Amino acid sequence: MRELLSPANAITFSMTGAEVDLVDDRDRKRAFMTDGRKLQKSKDLNYQEIAAKFEGNRLVTDEKSPRGDKMSRTFELSEDGRQLYESLHMTSGRSNTPLVVRYVYNIPARTSSRP
């Protein structure tokens, strides 16, 4: 649960085919599989495969929280492309109380490497 409430300071996304990889500054990797393939269970706490799909320009997951409650994440770029929003949607407890946590990551401006 600590991972969910203490986000990384920096993340990097990359995409190869139907796999979207997120690596954070704590060397944790999440592989979002968007093609419905069977996910591999990892014993490595720093690697996780997660089912995901694209809904328009958003990447949306369907997963379980560390406590086994229903959870989903949504990643999307801001209108100006300068920020990435990550929203966690969880329900917890017997009353299925909704909880939404939103993180905002600033995307650094590209620098020119001209001589």
Side-chain angles (χ1 to χ4, degrees):
M1 197 68 163
R2 182 188 332 206
E3 173 194 342
L4 299 177
L5 300 177
S6 63
N9 291 318
I11 58 175
T12 302
F13 271 98
S14 61
M15 185 171 175
T16 305
E19 181 176 331
V20 179
D21 293 332
L22 181 152
V23 179
D24 67 21
D25 59 349
R26 297 176 189 152
D27 291 325
R28 295 179 296 198
K29 179 179 178 180
R30 291 185 212 114
F32 299 105
M33 306 302 183
T34 63
D35 59 359
R37 75 178 80 165
K38 183 173 168 81
L39 304 177
Q40 301 296 314
K41 294 281 185 187
S42 176
K43 294 182 182 185
D44 181 353
L45 295 176
N46 289 326
Y47 178 78
Q48 199 177 14
E49 290 186 4
I50 299 168
K53 62 186 172 198
F54 284 101
E55 291 181 356
N57 63 349
R58 301 180 318 152
L59 179 66
V60 180
T61 71
D62 184 22
E63 50 191 304
K64 293 203 180 288
S65 74
R67 293 182 177 177
D69 297 316
K70 185 176 179 179
M71 181 178 93
S72 69
R73 295 177 208 253
T74 303
F75 295 93
E76 64 184 312
L77 282 174
S78 63
E79 290 278 328
D80 63 5
R82 304 280 299 138
Q83 294 178 317
L84 175 74
Y85 304 130
E86 177 184 6
S87 300
L88 296 173
H89 304 266
M90 295 179 270
T91 55
S92 63
R94 292 182 182 172
S95 63
N96 287 328
T97 305
L99 172 66
V100 178
V101 179
R102 186 170 187 169
Y103 304 113
V104 179
Y105 298 97
N106 292 320
I107 298 173
R110 293 193 181 264
T111 56
S112 176
S113 57
R114 295 183 187 157

